[in-house]
Amino acid sequence: MREVAFIKQNKEKWLSFEKAIFNNDFKDADELASQYIHVINDLAYAQTYYPKSKVIVYLNQLAAKAYQKIYKTKAEDTNRIFRFWKTEVPLICYQYRKFIYVAFIIFFAFTFIGAISAANDGEFVRSILGDDYVNMSLENIEAGDPVAVYKSGSNWGSFIGITINNLKVGIIAFVLGVFLGIGTLYIMFKNCIMLGSFQYFFYDKGVFWESVRGIWIHGSMEIFAIVIEAAAGLILGASILFPGTHSRYTSFKLGAKTGIKILISTFPFTFCAGFLEGFITRYSNIMPHWLSVGIILSTLGFISYYYLIYPFKIQKQITKSPQTTNASFEFI
């Protein structure tokens, strides 16, 4: 094969690999090692048939960068957990940001449907929440404490029970994504309809602000985390529906790995939401307004920053390099 044909045949592959190294854009260590082997084979071929070519210099540099990446990763295994939340998850969220945006659009649409349905059907809330819950809420409103339901049970009991339930909802929302994403949409529909009708119920009874001060102390992180978990389920479903250049099975494995990482990333927020619901929300009616609003805004701001803003900052930091990938092909 002539050198020009060799370069033309492999150029896109090399550029893609170099870009992936700079962006740390690998699904796992096995993919990095596999592509590294391909580069080594191309280097050996070039050394054999084009011993004086500049392509050898380029492939040597590319192989060296890949080698350093592989062994740097091994050396940093002790910081794996820290890097998981600091770098890996944000990069995944950046790469799959469209799924997160779609999940939020679906969330707002379904919640709006729940609120509109409750506004137009006086029995809708009871059909969704049940007579017992609605009657109890009405009694609490009459007693001057609309969200007194959060005072039931002990602090620790509430914290543990609520956290386990929220983890269960998030895991189910992700796992049901295997049904081409339809299962995830069902879980979102069910929970969003409940949320929309629940909030409208308090609005209709004239205690909307009191309910917001109580519910969203823990709800900011709890609901946001569920939306992110739903995005993970949609990624899983899309990996089956749209395998791209991979086989459907390989695409599914990659989608499952990506989704699981996003799912795991939400667990600390779910634990935090459970803690707030078990220990803080019960005091929402007696705490100063500035404190309850401050908790809501700070928790919502923190989780929003992590999933919606921070990924862009990490991506920008990683892509900064004095050398562009195209400049490496000046010898062609």
Side-chain angles (χ1 to χ4, degrees):
M1 182 187 301
R2 296 182 60 184
E3 181 183 355
V4 173
F6 173 70
I7 293 174
K8 184 177 181 180
Q9 175 180 303
N10 295 286
K11 177 179 177 180
E12 292 301 322
K13 177 180 68 175
W14 297 336
L15 284 173
S16 176
F17 184 46
E18 184 174 8
K19 182 179 179 181
I21 290 175
F22 278 119
N23 295 346
N24 197 28
D25 186 19
F26 293 98
K27 299 295 183 183
D28 50 41
D30 291 338
E31 181 185 0
L32 173 60
S34 175
Q35 294 195 37
Y36 171 70
I37 291 173
H38 282 294
V39 170
I40 290 298
N41 290 338
D42 289 340
L43 175 60
Y45 185 93
Q47 288 174 329
T48 301
Y49 294 100
Y50 323 114
K52 297 182 179 181
S53 173
K54 291 183 178 180
V55 75
I56 294 176
V57 177
Y58 169 74
L59 290 175
N60 258 320
Q61 293 175 346
L62 187 57
K65 292 172 186 175
Y67 180 87
Q68 292 170 0
K69 180 72 67 175
I70 291 172
Y71 285 90
K72 181 181 179 182
T73 300
K74 289 184 177 181
E76 291 178 351
D77 280 345
T78 54
N79 298 322
R80 181 70 177 84
I81 295 178
F82 176 74
R83 289 189 296 107
F84 176 75
W85 271 278
K86 181 178 182 294
T87 304
E88 188 170 356
V89 170
L91 287 175
I92 291 174
C93 289
Y94 178 84
Q95 182 180 358
Y96 293 92
R97 58 192 182 279
K98 291 183 180 179
F99 287 90
I100 295 177
Y101 300 157
V102 169
F104 271 105
I105 291 172
I106 294 172
F107 164 75
F108 286 118
F110 285 168
T111 302
F112 180 73
I113 291 173
I116 292 297
S117 299
N120 289 278
D121 184 351
E123 295 300 314
F124 184 78
V125 175
R126 289 184 178 273
S127 67
I128 296 296
L129 301 176
D131 289 332
D132 292 339
Y133 192 88
V134 172
N135 292 336
M136 177 186 64
S137 297
L138 288 172
E139 292 174 2
N140 291 335
I141 292 172
E142 291 177 3
D145 192 0
V147 290
V149 63
Y150 297 111
K151 294 182 179 179
S152 60
S154 65
N155 297 94
W156 280 103
S158 298
F159 165 52
I160 294 172
I162 290 163
T163 301
I164 291 175
N165 179 70
N166 290 341
L167 289 172
K168 181 180 177 181
V169 171
I171 292 171
I172 291 175
F174 166 67
V175 172
L176 291 186
V178 75
F179 298 106
L180 308 182
I182 296 174
T184 298
L185 292 176
Y186 169 74
I187 295 298
M188 287 191 74
F189 180 79
K190 181 180 177 181
N191 285 275
C192 291
I193 292 294
M194 186 181 298
L195 174 63
S197 60
F198 186 56
Q199 282 287 209
Y200 181 82
F201 169 76
F202 287 110
Y203 170 79
D204 188 49
K205 301 305 176 183
V207 290
F208 179 75
W209 173 240
E210 289 80 357
S211 71
V212 168
R213 286 183 57 214
I215 296 169
W216 292 96
I217 282 178
H218 61 272
S220 293
M221 281 192 171
E222 177 184 307
I223 301 301
F224 202 113
I226 290 176
V227 175
I228 298 299
E229 290 155 356
L234 295 178
I235 291 171
L236 180 61
S239 70
I240 302 172
L241 281 171
F242 311 108
T245 58
H246 298 290
S247 68
R248 202 170 298 277
Y249 177 66
T250 299
S251 177
F252 169 72
K253 288 197 300 180
L254 294 174
K257 287 181 180 180
T258 299
I260 288 172
K261 289 177 181 180
I262 294 176
L263 175 68
I264 292 174
S265 76
T266 66
F267 289 173
F269 297 105
T270 301
F271 277 102
C272 185
F275 175 84
L276 290 171
E277 188 168 350
F279 288 88
I280 308 299
T281 299
R282 62 181 62 231
Y283 303 113
S284 63
N285 68 319
I286 61 174
M287 67 173 59
H289 285 206
W290 65 265
L291 181 57
S292 59
V293 173
I295 294 173
I296 293 170
L297 293 179
S298 60
T299 53
L300 179 60
F302 180 71
I303 194 169
S304 298
Y305 175 80
Y306 183 75
Y307 284 107
L308 301 179
I309 300 174
Y310 184 60
F312 284 86
K313 296 187 68 174
I314 291 296
Q315 178 69 16
K316 187 176 180 180
Q317 290 175 6
I318 290 179
T319 54
K320 281 183 178 179
S321 173
Q323 180 183 14
T324 62
T325 52
N326 288 331
S328 303
F329 268 93
E330 291 177 348
F331 62 83
I332 295 178

